[in-house]
Amino acid sequence: MHLLVNIDVDDLARAERFYREAFGLEAGRRFGSFCVEMLGAEAPLYLLVKAAGTAPAATVAQPRQYTRHWTPVHLDFVVEDIEDAVARAVRAGAVLEQPVATQKWGRLALLADPFGHGFCFVQFTGRGYDEVAGP
């Protein structure tokens, strides 16, 4: 099985620039003016233009919005140097919502992209998640 990550945005050029500058991803294939494939992570990210205020599906009452919103699904980017990653993302337009904090398994920072989507940077230390894994 392969994983593809799709991220709705309202401005493709701005999104491509952000994901390139914040994460070092590079544009791959383009699908007209409505989608660009971003490469460089373990799974490709597809930035999809969807207008604010449109319905994500016929069964969903809440329209798309690009102000900060919460969803139980978000991206975690595992990095070697979390301070550098946070600084780079903030320079590119991310909002730091929770500064770097140390956990038993490593370090974590919570951010949001310019389209309201939350994401985290994770820097593993020691044995990573194995530090807290059960038997």
Side-chain angles (χ1 to χ4, degrees):
M1 179 185 320
H2 294 280
L3 176 67
L4 306 177
V5 178
N6 295 294
I7 301 173
D8 290 358
V9 300
D10 61 350
D11 183 328
L12 192 59
R14 183 171 160 227
E16 181 181 345
R17 183 174 48 258
F18 173 77
Y19 280 85
R20 182 181 62 249
E21 292 175 7
F23 305 109
L25 302 177
E26 293 297 327
R29 297 176 293 172
R30 294 186 183 280
F31 304 90
S33 61
F34 64 90
C35 178
V36 64
E37 175 185 61
M38 300 299 290
L39 303 172
E42 290 181 6
L45 276 69
Y46 292 86
L47 303 175
L48 307 171
V49 174
K50 305 286 184 174
T54 60
T59 58
V60 178
Q62 183 181 23
R64 282 184 182 85
Q65 62 174 344
Y66 295 107
T67 57
R68 182 64 173 111
H69 54 275
W70 183 85
T71 176
V73 177
H74 66 272
L75 301 176
D76 284 352
F77 293 89
V78 178
V79 298
E80 295 293 322
D81 182 337
I82 198 166
E83 280 85 6
D84 182 58
V86 167
R88 180 179 178 165
V90 168
R91 279 194 310 272
V95 174
L96 180 61
E97 296 184 332
Q98 180 178 313
V100 177
T102 301
Q103 313 293 326
K104 288 183 178 182
W105 48 264
R107 303 175 74 209
L108 174 73
L110 283 63
L111 301 97
D113 76 5
F115 306 93
H117 308 301
F119 68 91
C120 297
F121 282 127
V122 172
Q123 180 181 345
F124 290 120
T125 57
R127 297 180 305 130
Y129 285 152
D130 286 341
E131 296 286 353
V132 294

